[in-house]
Amino acid sequence: MKKSRSIFGDKQGGPEIWNSIKFAKRKLPEELIASQKNRLMEGILDDKKSTPIIPIQPRKTIWIWYAAASIVLLMTVGSFLLLKENNFETSYGQIATVHLPDGTSVTLNGNSSISYSPISWRFFNNRNVSLTGEAFFDVAKKEVDGKRIKFQVLTRNLQVEVLGTRFNVIDREGNESVVLEEGKVQLMIPDVQIPLQMVPGDYVGYDASKKRMLQMVVLTEEYTSWKDKYILLDNKTLGELAQIITTVYGKKVVFQNDEDKKIPLEGKVPSDEIRILIAALRLATKLEISLENDVVTVSNSSKTITI
């Protein structure tokens, strides 16, 4: 262990020298003690002023937080339910009928879908339906407090507004059309400020790519017969029917002779089963028409054209 060293350093002489030194006792004055005490207390108070005081939160604040979180959760769930939509769709070649909450009947053609918000229908009387594909609407009339509630069908570009009527709507590949069978329809068209009023027998088509509208009077059965599971062929060509086969049934159609597309058709053919439809076309046109691996081939040709 290292020997400790005197804090006074080395001194000459023996221990008797240190014993002879007398240290006078010193007592601090009372005034000095009091002043120092005051300075100390002032320092403590200054520290308290400069140091932020964070109060301890009472336990009830936790419940307030839980209540706030619950409100946010309810609002989130409510928004989700408000935005949530009911969707109905058909596959290729399928025809299905959907009954909406107000009693409206919607018949969907193959490869089609509709959607609507049940919350908006129930609590806000917003009878809005979005359509992709083709559907026939038999709209039920609805009144609230003596006021008729309108029914709207929305496609990508058109807005069909009715009170109670029967009509057909198509929205496929940029071509949209409305055919009115019964009642009245008010149609909103892009870039047209005044709504178009339709009466039974009216056809209105809209080409989105060309921004062009076509309006004419037609035999409505030509456009609505599909819902009764047959196709009225009058005023259609084989090429036009081939386009229906591709769109509604999902079958690729190959013409080996371009001129065959121009063959005019008439009469009725069943539409509920693609093979029966092809057999009927084979008898009507006297052409060789076959279906294999989702491809319909129209034979007798010098060159091949695909639709």
Side-chain angles (χ1 to χ4, degrees):
M1 181 177 178
K2 183 181 292 186
K3 185 177 181 181
S4 61
R5 184 178 180 185
S6 171
I7 60 173
F8 291 100
D10 295 333
K11 296 291 182 181
Q12 298 294 326
E16 64 276 2
I17 295 177
W18 303 110
N19 292 334
S20 63
I21 298 175
K22 303 295 183 181
F23 292 94
K25 295 181 179 179
R26 296 189 61 181
K27 184 178 181 181
L28 293 175
E30 295 291 336
E31 296 81 3
L32 180 59
I33 295 175
S35 65
Q36 293 299 319
K37 182 178 179 181
N38 289 336
R39 287 180 60 186
L40 179 62
M41 293 303 297
E42 289 175 359
I44 294 174
L45 291 176
D46 289 339
D47 288 340
K48 288 185 177 180
K49 291 180 181 179
S50 61
T51 304
I53 299 175
I54 302 177
I56 299 176
Q57 297 292 337
R59 293 184 63 84
K60 65 179 182 180
T61 307
I62 298 176
W63 294 106
I64 294 175
W65 186 89
Y66 281 134
S70 299
I71 292 174
V72 172
L73 178 61
L74 288 174
M75 291 178 64
T76 302
V77 173
S79 300
F80 171 77
L81 291 175
L82 185 62
L83 297 174
K84 185 178 183 296
E85 293 189 336
N86 283 352
N87 295 279
F88 300 92
E89 60 182 15
T90 54
S91 57
Y92 284 115
Q94 179 188 17
I95 296 176
T97 299
V98 178
H99 296 284
L100 302 181
D102 63 346
T104 292
S105 174
V106 183
T107 303
L108 292 171
N109 204 350
N111 186 29
S112 303
S113 66
I114 60 168
S115 62
Y116 69 92
S117 168
I119 300 297
S120 294
W121 274 54
R122 180 174 180 181
F123 295 104
F124 302 101
N125 290 318
N126 289 337
R127 299 197 296 170
N128 295 343
V129 175
S130 297
L131 168 70
T132 300
E134 182 174 10
F136 183 87
F137 293 83
D138 189 350
V139 179
K141 295 180 180 179
K142 182 177 180 180
E143 293 186 358
V144 175
D145 298 328
K147 181 181 178 181
R148 287 189 174 184
I149 304 300
K150 63 185 178 182
F151 184 100
Q152 289 186 327
V153 179
L154 307 176
T155 64
R156 275 170 286 191
N157 295 285
L158 303 181
Q159 177 178 309
V160 187
E161 182 176 307
V162 300
L163 295 174
T165 188
R166 294 163 55 86
F167 57 97
N168 196 80
V169 183
I170 296 177
D171 180 4
R172 295 192 191 275
E173 300 176 355
N175 292 309
E176 299 162 66
S177 65
V178 180
V179 174
L180 181 59
E181 183 175 276
E182 178 185 300
K184 292 183 179 180
V185 159
Q186 180 173 280
L187 186 61
M188 295 296 297
I189 301 174
D191 302 323
V192 178
Q193 300 297 324
I194 301 176
L196 179 64
Q197 306 295 329
M198 297 179 64
V199 296
D202 277 355
Y203 167 97
V204 176
Y206 181 73
D207 187 329
S209 61
K210 299 179 181 178
K211 294 186 178 181
R212 185 175 61 186
M213 182 190 73
L214 172 64
Q215 183 177 12
M216 58 184 179
V217 178
V218 298
L219 179 64
T220 59
E221 186 185 9
E222 295 179 9
Y223 297 87
T224 63
S225 61
W226 61 266
K227 66 183 175 61
D228 297 316
K229 298 184 179 180
Y230 72 90
I231 299 176
L232 184 63
L233 299 177
D234 297 355
N235 299 320
K236 286 185 175 63
T237 64
L238 186 57
E240 290 172 335
L241 185 58
Q243 187 63 57
I244 294 175
I245 291 174
T246 298
T247 302
V248 176
Y249 298 92
K251 310 299 182 184
K252 183 178 181 180
V253 181
V254 176
F255 281 88
Q256 292 186 338
N257 186 345
D258 190 26
E259 294 300 314
D260 290 342
K261 293 166 53 180
K262 302 176 184 178
I263 295 176
L265 303 172
E266 63 179 9
K268 299 178 181 180
V269 292
S271 62
D272 55 340
E273 214 290 319
I274 184 64
R275 293 189 180 277
I276 297 177
L277 171 59
I278 290 175
L281 285 177
R282 188 184 299 119
L283 291 174
T285 62
K286 309 300 182 183
L287 296 173
E288 181 58 35
I289 305 176
S290 61
L291 170 63
E292 186 175 355
N293 297 327
D294 288 334
V295 177
V296 177
T297 303
V298 183
S299 299
N300 287 342
S301 72
S302 55
K303 62 179 180 178
T304 300
I305 302 295
T306 301
I307 293 200

